Amino acid sequence: MHISLIIPAYNEERLIGRCLQSVTEAIAANRDVDFTHEIIVVDNNSTDNTAHLAKQAGARVIFEPINHIARARSAGATAATGEWLIFLDADCLLSAGLLADIFRLIKEGKHVGAGGTLLMPGLPWWASAILKLWTILSVLFGWAAGALMVCNSRAFREIGGFNLELYAAEEIEFSQKLKKWGRAHHLKFTILTAHPLETSARKIKLYSGREVFGQFVRLILHPHRSLHDKKWLSMWYDGRR
């Protein structure tokens, strides 16, 4: 099997190196599996050294000029040649155990795709409670977190990929479309839980509790406007790093 690991990145010079190192180490630890791979970093119009550092680490770098998470992921998928796509955020660390779980799922041949649970070290109690609630909902409803999405490339193409009208939460709609495609082809979509993906808690550290609360209030009171206009999604698009 041929795997494409796709990492969207906007001004990620502080974290992209660690992310790519974790990917390289996870791949090396799973060499007993028969696979080939490519690592694609999508430079989403960065103004720092993200692209240069990614190239130094051996990744293939492509450029997406419009700062938009769904567009960056879609650009990576368009360039990918793998039979399976693994979307990974640039502030994450991929473990050997999680990659092994993904490979087992693929080799079983019973799934169209998967997501994973998340681990965020250093969260305050209230943010930890929110993460626990998200984990319950994610596993219960089969919603993949944007930090990790795995899917069959044929299914990705046939469902039309990500909704480019959405500036956030596109992963939930994407999960729903994958599940529907999977049911039509007698395949399942699941959330992997044995090895949570470690991701940074930087949004919680960079934004005050008041800012986080305000963002969630906007999403709850004006979901359509917020998700379709990045001006309403400061925690995703104001560039704070």
Side-chain angles (χ1 to χ4, degrees):
M1 60 180 162
H2 185 48
I3 307 296
S4 297
L5 293 110
I6 300 165
I7 304 172
Y10 170 66
N11 286 352
E12 295 288 3
E13 65 180 5
R14 293 178 58 193
L15 299 176
I16 191 66
R18 291 182 64 227
C19 175
L20 291 172
Q21 181 180 353
S22 76
V23 170
T24 300
E25 291 173 353
I27 288 171
N30 283 278
R31 275 302 175 196
D32 57 322
V33 181
D34 183 20
F35 73 99
T36 56
H37 75 280
E38 62 180 353
I39 302 172
I40 300 172
V41 171
V42 184
D43 173 18
N44 198 194
N45 203 25
S46 299
T47 57
D48 64 3
N49 289 321
T50 295
H52 175 69
L53 293 173
K55 289 176 183 177
Q56 277 191 328
R60 176 187 171 196
V61 177
I62 64 172
F63 182 68
E64 167 52 53
I66 300 175
N67 187 218
H68 182 183
I69 299 168
R71 283 184 180 275
R73 291 180 178 138
S74 296
T78 298
T81 60
E83 302 160 75
W84 282 81
L85 310 177
I86 300 175
F87 297 93
L88 181 71
D89 278 358
D91 63 339
C92 296
L93 299 177
L94 181 64
S95 70
L98 178 53
L99 187 58
D101 291 343
I102 293 170
F103 284 153
R104 277 193 290 271
L105 177 142
I106 293 172
K107 290 179 72 176
E108 285 175 1
K110 298 178 181 179
H111 291 81
V112 62
T117 54
L118 303 179
L119 172 66
M120 292 186 186
L123 288 177
W125 69 267
W126 57 269
S128 181
I130 292 173
L131 179 58
K132 288 178 182 178
L133 175 60
W134 161 256
T135 300
I136 292 170
L137 296 174
S138 173
V139 174
L140 180 63
F141 294 108
W143 294 342
L148 177 71
M149 293 174 282
V150 181
C151 72
N152 178 286
S153 61
R154 176 192 166 195
F156 181 90
R157 292 190 298 270
E158 292 190 2
I159 67 173
F162 297 104
N163 184 347
L164 299 185
E165 293 184 0
L166 294 176
Y167 284 89
E170 76 282 354
E171 62 269 26
I172 295 177
E173 182 185 283
F174 181 69
S175 300
Q176 301 286 57
K177 291 194 296 183
L178 273 182
K179 285 189 287 185
K180 183 178 180 180
W181 190 95
R183 286 193 295 269
H185 293 81
H186 309 291
L187 296 170
K188 297 180 286 185
F189 182 89
T190 193
I191 304 298
L192 300 169
T193 60
H195 297 92
L197 176 72
E198 183 174 338
T199 184
S200 80
R202 64 180 174 189
K203 281 189 171 67
I204 303 303
K205 295 177 180 178
L206 291 171
Y207 295 85
S208 67
R210 181 178 180 179
E211 287 175 308
V212 173
F213 179 73
Q215 180 68 85
F216 277 99
V217 167
R218 288 194 295 274
L219 283 167
I220 292 169
L221 296 180
H222 307 284
H224 186 272
R225 181 184 296 180
S226 296
L227 294 176
H228 287 78
D229 187 348
K230 64 181 180 181
K231 293 178 182 178
W232 285 62
L233 295 166
S234 57
M235 286 182 60
W236 281 263
Y237 289 99
D238 72 359
R240 204 177 302 185
R241 288 290 185 267

